[in-house]
Amino acid sequence: MPDPDEAYLQIGEVAERTGVTQRTLRFYEEKGLLGPPTRMDGGFRLYSEQDVKRVEHIRRLQDLLGVALAEIKEMVDAEEVLRELRAQYRPDSAIDEKRRQLERAIDVVQGQYGIVKQKTEQMEEMKAQLKERLRTFDRWMKELNELEAKEPVAPG
Amino acid sequence: MPDPDEAYLQIGEVAERTGVTQRTLRFYEEKGLLGPPTRMDGGFRLYSEQDVKRVEHIRRLQDLLGVALAEIKEMVDAEEVLRELRAQYRPDSAIDEKRRQLERAIDVVQGQYGIVKQKTEQMEEMKAQLKERLRTFDRWMKELNELEAKEPVAPG
DNA sequence: TCTTACCTTGACGTAGGCGTTAAACCGCGC
DNA sequence: GCGCGGTTTAACGCCTACGTCAAGGTAAGA
């Protein structure tokens, strides 16, 4: 039940805005990374702003974590659980069910957090090494310049 | 001209120590990520400790940055330039040449540093988002628990 | 010398992540 | 109602990063 107020976008516009190809959007749909979009009468796909954000999120995960789409699917699926959780806010009944979903969501996000945290730590380490290297090179460069100062250019 | 003192390793041992398959080692060689190793009379590849480190480095880059091998090749090639630079350190003659090499090395390492820096920043951002999310979940969970406290379980 | 484990090249296979093309259909201005 | 561009599904292609045989050569101990 999509919000009728929402401005819907055709695949071409979504492609342009997200920087992926139309083929990629259909491919993600095929692989379950994007839910089946609403269609207009003729069958054309209609995407929401939510869909656009989702695509952007997928690409960030792909770029940053460099993991397979299957893993990304798990991640975005987990987010869908949350959205449902929020949508289904009926204060009656099924509190236990909600709690279970919430616990599952927490597990997933904690897992993601762990991965990202470990990666950042390793990358910080690498960054420090590179920085150190740059300092070394600068030192060498200085030494070269001093050497040249003492020993004039083209001594012949 | 490899160091005769060095203990050489066959492909199997390198595979075991680095955790990649022999196929992968040959593949990296084929793609130029590893230089052609020395061989024993029968044709068996002989690797040095340097090679082992290089493989480990390649894998770190692959894991961390998640970039294609082609890009990784550029990075390790750049490091080779540095190694040559250090090896060719003849304090006489060709100061300008040295300076050019050094400048090139600095460029390369600055490029690597830029990549790593950008990625760490993006990952820090993602980490912050995940953390925020976890806080939200905890809040929700608390709310659920309070809700249950007021409204006793299974009211029938 | 024989065995056995390890190694060689070569060739084909595969999973993921799309690109590309084809042939038909839809929407819309005129 | 025509033209034209955006969209549809389906199918095949391609590149990466290896895996997996296959068929044989090598090293080294019994």
Side-chain angles (χ1 to χ4, degrees):
Chain A
M1 47 203 77
D3 184 354
D5 292 348
E6 187 131 22
Y8 278 87
L9 310 164
Q10 284 186 220
I11 196 168
E13 198 163 351
V14 175
E16 196 174 346
R17 282 183 49 183
T18 59
V20 309
T21 66
Q22 303 184 10
R23 173 70 177 94
T24 299
L25 290 172
R26 297 194 193 99
F27 178 74
Y28 285 175
E29 181 185 336
E30 194 181 324
K31 293 296 169 182
L33 285 155
L34 295 175
T38 55
R39 306 269 187 150
M40 43 201 265
D41 283 3
F44 288 18
R45 288 171 176 79
L46 288 176
Y47 295 92
S48 69
E49 291 293 330
Q50 272 300 334
D51 292 325
V52 172
K53 282 186 187 162
R54 189 152 169 163
V55 172
E56 287 166 348
H57 189 197
I58 291 171
R59 302 295 354 218
R60 260 206 314 278
L61 288 173
Q62 234 184 335
D63 279 6
L64 278 182
L65 305 186
V67 301
L69 287 189
E71 202 166 337
I72 292 179
K73 175 170 160 52
E74 282 187 31
M75 293 184 174
V76 294
D77 279 359
E79 311 212 358
E80 215 48 26
V81 171
L82 307 188
R83 210 178 303 289
E84 281 173 26
L85 200 69
R86 203 173 330 199
Q88 290 172 1
Y89 193 80
R90 296 163 309 186
D92 61 324
S93 79
I95 289 188
D96 276 13
E97 174 61 18
K98 281 181 200 170
R99 180 149 42 208
R100 267 194 300 278
Q101 286 188 316
L102 194 47
E103 276 168 358
R104 162 147 165 59
I106 288 177
D107 274 5
V108 169
V109 175
Q110 274 180 347
Q112 295 182 15
Y113 183 79
I115 294 174
V116 172
K117 189 176 173 213
Q118 189 190 345
K119 283 223 175 195
T120 49
E121 282 166 7
Q122 291 175 351
M123 291 188 79
E124 288 292 352
E125 198 179 325
M126 180 172 279
K127 209 173 81 176
Q129 285 179 15
L130 289 174
K131 211 166 188 172
E132 176 57 29
R133 234 180 210 176
L134 284 175
R135 265 199 296 274
T136 304
F137 289 165
D138 276 1
R139 227 179 40 234
W140 289 5
M141 187 61 92
K142 265 189 198 162
E143 286 173 13
L144 265 188
N145 289 340
E146 285 168 13
L147 212 122
E148 193 184 40
K150 282 188 208 163
E151 178 188 326
V153 169
Chain B
M1 46 204 77
D3 183 355
D5 293 348
E6 186 132 22
Y8 278 87
L9 310 164
Q10 284 185 222
I11 196 170
E13 199 162 351
V14 175
E16 196 174 348
R17 282 183 48 185
T18 58
V20 308
T21 66
Q22 303 183 12
R23 174 69 176 96
T24 298
L25 291 172
R26 297 195 193 100
F27 178 74
Y28 285 174
E29 181 185 338
E30 192 180 325
K31 293 295 166 182
L33 285 153
L34 296 175
T38 55
R39 307 266 188 153
M40 42 200 268
D41 282 3
F44 290 18
R45 287 172 178 80
L46 288 176
Y47 295 92
S48 68
E49 292 292 332
Q50 271 300 335
D51 292 325
V52 172
K53 281 185 188 161
R54 188 152 171 163
V55 172
E56 287 166 348
H57 189 199
I58 291 170
R59 301 294 357 219
R60 257 204 317 279
L61 288 175
Q62 236 185 334
D63 279 7
L64 277 182
L65 305 186
V67 300
L69 288 188
E71 200 166 340
I72 292 178
K73 175 169 160 51
E74 284 187 30
M75 292 187 169
V76 294
D77 280 359
E79 313 220 350
E80 215 49 26
V81 171
L82 307 187
R83 207 180 306 290
E84 281 173 26
L85 197 69
R86 204 169 330 195
Q88 292 174 359
Y89 192 80
R90 296 162 309 186
D92 59 324
S93 80
I95 289 188
D96 276 11
E97 174 61 18
K98 277 181 205 165
R99 181 150 40 208
R100 267 195 299 278
Q101 285 189 315
L102 194 46
E103 275 168 358
R104 162 144 167 62
I106 289 177
D107 274 4
V108 167
V109 176
Q110 274 180 347
Q112 294 183 2
Y113 183 79
I115 294 175
V116 172
K117 189 176 173 212
Q118 189 189 346
K119 284 233 174 195
T120 50
E121 281 166 5
Q122 291 175 349
M123 291 192 83
E124 288 292 353
E125 195 180 327
M126 180 172 279
K127 208 173 83 175
Q129 285 179 14
L130 289 172
K131 209 166 189 172
E132 176 55 31
R133 237 185 209 166
L134 284 174
R135 265 200 295 275
T136 304
F137 291 166
D138 277 0
R139 228 178 40 232
W140 289 5
M141 187 60 95
K142 264 188 197 162
E143 287 173 13
L144 266 187
N145 288 341
E146 284 168 14
L147 211 122
E148 192 182 44
K150 281 188 209 163
E151 179 187 329
V153 170

